[in-house]
């Protein structure tokens, strides 16, 4: 089977760097699957999953924000946050979910509502990814 090079970068580390069979990642427009020889593509990342398939195995991560850039040289994902499912602290994620829900029950400015809503989506995504 054909492979392509994938590099996933976050603000503080090289999250992944290697050859893969395929990738599925959440963009702001929905999930996209990337295979070898994919057409050039650039999209903003949403809050969702990143699944990397390589040598018959797959590994899942929670991702939030950033960009995916597919070119003939390979695929680069620049993520604001990205963490492997098995690295997620579920109790911390549940606490963040509860705090965001409580915050949304308060009288907030529109900006504060948006921030709390995004925090809730991130927490729920982290829990969903960790429990898969």
């Amino acid at each position: 089977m054909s492979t392509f090079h994938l590099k996933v970068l976050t603000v503080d580390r090289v999250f992944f760097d290697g050859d893969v069979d395929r990738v599925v990642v959440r963009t702001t427009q929905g999930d996209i699957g990337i295979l070898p020889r994919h057409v050039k593509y650039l999209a903003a990342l949403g809050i969702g999953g990143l699944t990397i398939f390589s040598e018959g195995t797959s590994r899942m991560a929670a991702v939030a924000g950033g960009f995916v850039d597919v070119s003939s040289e390979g695929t680069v994902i620049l993520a604001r946050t990205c963490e492997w499912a098995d690295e997620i602290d579920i109790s911390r994620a549940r606490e963040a979910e509860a705090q965001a829900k409580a915050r949304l029950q308060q009288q907030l400015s529109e900006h504060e509502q948006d921030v709390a809503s995004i925090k809730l989506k991130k927490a729920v995504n982290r829990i969903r990814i960790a429990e898969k």
Side-chain angles (χ1 to χ4, degrees):
M1 177 175 240
S2 182
T3 62
F4 64 97
H5 192 78
L6 172 67
K7 187 177 266 190
V8 181
L9 305 168
T10 67
V11 173
D12 58 350
R13 68 177 171 154
V14 175
F15 183 79
F16 181 89
D17 189 1
D19 291 335
V20 300
D21 302 326
R22 76 183 147 122
V23 173
V24 177
V25 66
R26 173 72 45 94
T27 71
T28 56
Q29 300 301 307
D31 289 348
I32 179 168
I34 302 166
L35 297 168
R37 295 180 292 285
H38 193 284
V39 297
K40 288 184 179 184
Y41 179 79
L42 179 65
L45 296 179
I47 297 170
L50 165 66
T51 307
I52 299 171
F53 298 87
S54 181
E55 299 177 358
T57 64
S58 65
R59 192 155 184 212
M60 192 165 205
V63 67
F67 294 91
V68 57
D69 180 15
V70 181
S71 70
S72 57
E73 290 83 38
T75 299
V76 176
I77 295 175
L78 302 171
R80 184 166 292 126
T81 64
C82 193
E83 60 188 315
W84 294 116
D86 58 4
E87 294 176 350
I88 294 172
D89 182 339
I90 294 177
S91 61
R92 197 173 119 228
R94 288 192 196 287
E95 184 178 313
E97 176 187 27
Q99 288 175 355
K101 283 180 178 178
R103 190 93 169 112
L104 286 169
Q105 298 302 314
Q106 300 172 359
Q107 294 245 344
L108 303 171
S109 69
E110 187 176 332
H111 173 73
E112 291 171 320
Q113 281 281 112
D114 291 343
V115 170
S117 178
I118 290 169
K119 286 182 177 184
L120 177 59
K121 288 176 186 175
K122 286 181 179 181
V124 168
N125 181 58
R126 291 177 72 234
I127 293 165
R128 181 182 64 83
I129 298 295
E131 291 180 340
K132 277 194 175 185

